[in-house]
Amino acid sequence: MAQRVVLHTDIRKGTINRNIYGHFSEHLGRCIYEGIWVGEDSPIPNTKGIRNDVVEALKEIKVPVLRWPGGCFADEYHWKDGIGAREGRKRMINTHWGGTVENNHFGTHEFMELCAMLGCEPYINGNVGSGTVQEMSEWVEYLTFNGVSPMAELRTKNGREEAWAVKYFGVGNENWGCGGNMRPEYYADLYRQYQTYVRNYGDNRIHRIACGPNADDYHWMEVLMREATRFMDSITLHYYTVPGATWEQKGAATGFDTAEYFTTLEKALRMEELVTRHSVIMDKYDPEKRVGLIVDEWGTWYDVEPGTNPGFLYQQNSIRDALVAGLTLNIFHKHSDRVRMANIAQTINVLQAVILTEGEKMLLTPTYHVFNMYKVHQDAELLDLTLDSGSYSFDGKDIPEVSASASVTAEGVIHVSLCNLNHAAAAVLPLELRGLAGQAVDIAGTTLAGATIDAHNSFSEPEAVVPQPFTAFKLEGDTITVELPAMSVTVLKITPK
Ligand code: AHR
């Protein structure tokens, strides 16, 4: 089959929710502490204790929503430990992640300040595993109640008179695992109970999020949808791309071979099957598609960098990660009728991070650049696109060579994102534009490519992998023929004149 794309510029398939471009920051390793929070007295330039460089970089990619405080940490977190004068806050061991001292200096007020600086929606994950209904209920009251109440009074005493607006609230995290090792039947009942006390105060309307399955645990999805659909607005899905066969040997972030490169992309592509099959179950209980699927943890998970704390999950990030990001976001676009939010794990210094820091230094990873190039899709209308992708074969296995998605902005500008997964060859691809009725177009493009399968940015070479203008295209009639470099993510901008 010849490789080609047919793009119907006049067939719209729904809005790509900007929240698909969401992020996740946990009290884990150097994500919050060092990555975001350095404290007001730090020599690292900061505003109210939050790093200025990181805020600027995250604003650039238009982070729409940020999930916090975990992760597994969420079901051990007691929010009252993180309010009031910082010197007086409890110091404790972060037992789940690295055994380091958690001084609770980054708490509710600091997180809400960060979201205000970024201009993003907060997504707060409550504690079901080791917290009480009262504790969760009071957190929502503390955050969102304006009026006479003990929690509103406490908030005012802590320097914030006006309630915040909080839309997204998660009722537990991975309650099938680190969040309590529950059976779905048991969690479904707990979910129903806890969410009852996650109240809407005043005009604030909470979008209640139930803990969904791990990867292909279709039974969990079935039970939750059967027992609790009417009590939820969304349900989550977690899926990590782990190249190795076991958690003990996940594979390295750099220095891997071609077989591991291929396997990583093959495993990342599995997101398509997972979202499709979970959506089928959701359709059974929610044919109107009222409930959203939120993939609030996704990304690559490798062995930690040699010499670093195994509990910190610090890993490098290469062009391979950029391809995982590009193809996964393309999958989310395709399923945007159900996938309403996704949160890559995790923003800074942890897993598939968009930013790495070392003291006062900061670098942008290849994954960051994909989020920056793809931000044009946020809230745009998904366009109908048919892709006949050739195969990328390795060691007797085949995966599609190209991943593609397209959208149109309110102003009529079309963006096509294209990933060439092939590590060895450029992909030459005719892209036929239909529905423009002879209208002329301007074309521009940006591409991110790697010279080697593990090309990455380091503190000594922070710009080894950066976007470049893309000029390898030719327009003839209504067909643009593009030549996508090996291992590249490209975004084309097509502007009708
Ligand atoms: O993102 C790291 C961890 O992965 C999260 O804390 C947990 O939810 C998941 O298992």
Side-chain angles (χ1 to χ4, degrees):
M1 180 169 53
Q3 182 151 296
R4 75 199 267 261
V5 175
V6 177
L7 176 60
H8 293 272
T9 63
D10 52 347
I11 304 180
R12 298 174 179 216
K13 305 193 81 178
T15 305
I16 298 172
N17 197 316
R18 73 170 83 166
N19 289 338
I20 283 174
Y21 287 82
H23 290 256
F24 167 40
S25 297
E26 181 168 10
H27 288 235
L28 193 178
R30 298 185 297 115
C31 183
I32 297 289
Y33 299 107
E34 289 184 42
I36 292 170
W37 177 260
V38 288
E40 286 158 348
D41 300 333
S42 170
I44 298 174
N46 69 85
T47 304
K48 299 183 186 171
I50 296 170
R51 285 180 81 125
N52 294 344
D53 52 356
V54 163
V55 167
E56 281 319 303
L58 293 178
K59 274 167 74 174
E60 174 65 21
I61 57 173
K62 291 192 172 21
V63 171
V65 59
L66 185 62
R67 177 176 181 241
W68 172 85
C72 294
F73 186 80
D75 282 278
E76 295 191 17
Y77 184 59
H78 301 286
W79 67 272
K80 284 186 186 165
D81 296 340
I83 55 170
R86 274 185 216 113
E87 320 76 68
R89 295 189 194 170
K90 278 188 195 162
R91 285 163 60 81
M92 54 187 61
I93 300 296
N94 185 337
T95 44
H96 208 96
W97 300 118
T100 50
V101 173
E102 162 68 61
N103 64 12
N104 278 301
H105 280 193
F106 191 88
T108 300
H109 291 250
E110 291 77 13
F111 174 66
M112 295 306 290
E113 185 64 49
L114 170 65
C115 291
M117 286 179 186
L118 298 179
C120 75
E121 295 270 5
Y123 166 9
I124 292 187
N125 211 122
N127 178 348
V128 171
S130 70
T132 63
V133 175
Q134 180 180 1
E135 182 181 9
M136 187 180 287
S137 172
E138 286 186 340
W139 200 3
V140 175
E141 182 186 327
Y142 187 89
L143 285 159
T144 63
F145 187 74
N146 264 323
V148 181
S149 91
M151 291 304 111
E153 209 172 292
L154 184 59
R155 185 187 65 234
T156 305
K157 198 175 120 225
N158 289 334
R160 172 86 189 192
E161 195 179 339
E162 198 193 336
W164 290 282
V166 175
K167 182 167 178 191
Y168 299 105
F169 198 91
V171 180
N173 167 74
E174 296 197 351
N175 301 95
W176 37 261
C178 64
N181 286 308
M182 299 173 194
R183 293 174 309 114
E185 293 79 5
Y186 181 67
Y187 171 73
D189 280 346
L190 280 189
Y191 173 77
R192 290 166 61 128
Q193 180 190 5
Y194 274 67
Q195 68 78 36
T196 308
Y197 305 94
V198 173
R199 303 233 190 256
N200 290 326
Y201 293 110
D203 294 338
N204 195 65
R205 287 289 163 274
I206 301 236
H207 185 100
R208 291 171 177 72
I209 301 168
C211 165
N214 182 31
D216 60 358
D217 186 350
Y218 300 114
H219 175 64
W220 183 282
M221 180 61 92
E222 180 80 36
V223 174
L224 261 291
M225 291 302 290
R226 190 183 70 217
E227 303 299 338
T229 294
R230 70 194 167 97
F231 301 102
M232 66 173 82
D233 297 302
S234 283
I235 186 163
T236 63
L237 167 67
H238 288 183
Y239 175 61
Y240 284 99
T241 299
V242 182
T246 64
W247 280 95
E248 287 64 47
Q249 286 189 312
K250 295 181 278 296
T254 55
F256 46 86
D257 61 16
T258 313
E260 206 158 297
Y261 168 90
F262 185 90
T263 305
T264 307
L265 299 181
E266 186 186 28
K267 289 191 170 181
L269 285 163
R270 221 182 135 217
M271 184 66 87
E272 170 78 46
E273 177 194 328
L274 296 174
V275 170
T276 304
R277 292 188 60 184
H278 283 298
S279 296
V280 168
I281 301 170
M282 294 179 76
D283 286 349
K284 186 165 131 195
Y285 296 97
D286 175 38
E288 310 296 326
K289 297 190 194 288
R290 183 189 61 80
V291 176
L293 181 61
I294 293 186
V295 189
D296 62 0
E297 291 190 28
W298 69 274
T300 54
W301 194 325
Y302 308 126
D303 296 332
V304 297
E305 291 303 314
T308 64
N309 186 327
F312 279 18
L313 311 187
Y314 177 69
Q315 63 189 42
Q316 247 298 355
N317 191 292
S318 72
I319 189 69
R320 174 178 63 163
D321 297 86
L323 287 160
V324 170
L327 73 86
T328 306
L329 292 165
N330 286 347
I331 292 169
F332 292 154
H333 292 177
K334 184 172 163 201
H335 292 273
S336 50
D337 60 333
R338 196 54 102 171
V339 179
R340 315 261 167 83
M341 188 197 292
N343 309 74
I344 189 168
Q346 298 192 8
T347 321
I348 301 161
N349 294 329
V350 171
L351 298 178
Q352 193 175 346
V354 291
I355 293 174
L356 301 179
T357 65
E358 200 176 79
E360 77 291 351
K361 289 188 253 166
M362 177 192 87
L363 70 76
L364 308 175
T365 67
T367 300
Y368 175 95
H369 294 305
V370 173
F371 272 76
N372 204 17
M373 289 159 67
Y374 272 47
K375 68 187 177 194
V376 290
H377 289 302
Q378 291 190 22
D379 287 339
E381 291 291 303
L382 181 68
L383 290 176
D384 186 73
L385 175 149
T386 313
L387 167 67
D388 291 338
S389 173
S391 291
Y392 167 35
S393 311
F394 188 82
D395 220 5
K397 289 193 279 185
D398 294 321
I399 57 175
E401 184 171 52
V402 172
S403 155
S405 182
S407 70
V408 61
T409 66
E411 293 73 35
V413 179
I414 296 163
H415 295 101
V416 189
S417 40
L418 299 149
C419 307
N420 177 12
L421 311 189
N422 196 320
H423 73 283
V428 178
L429 191 70
L431 195 163
E432 189 185 329
L433 297 173
R434 294 206 185 148
L436 281 176
Q439 204 174 356
V441 292
D442 276 333
I443 305 169
T446 308
T447 195
L448 184 76
T452 58
I453 51 176
D454 70 345
H456 59 276
N457 296 328
S458 62
F459 289 98
S460 52
E461 224 187 321
E463 304 214 329
V465 186
V466 288
Q468 304 289 345
F470 177 72
T471 51
F473 61 82
K474 203 165 63 192
L475 175 67
E476 276 168 325
D478 53 10
T479 298
I480 309 168
T481 302
V482 292
E483 185 174 337
L484 307 171
M487 298 179 287
S488 66
V489 179
T490 301
V491 174
L492 280 186
K493 179 180 179 190
I494 304 169
T495 314
K497 292 200 238 190

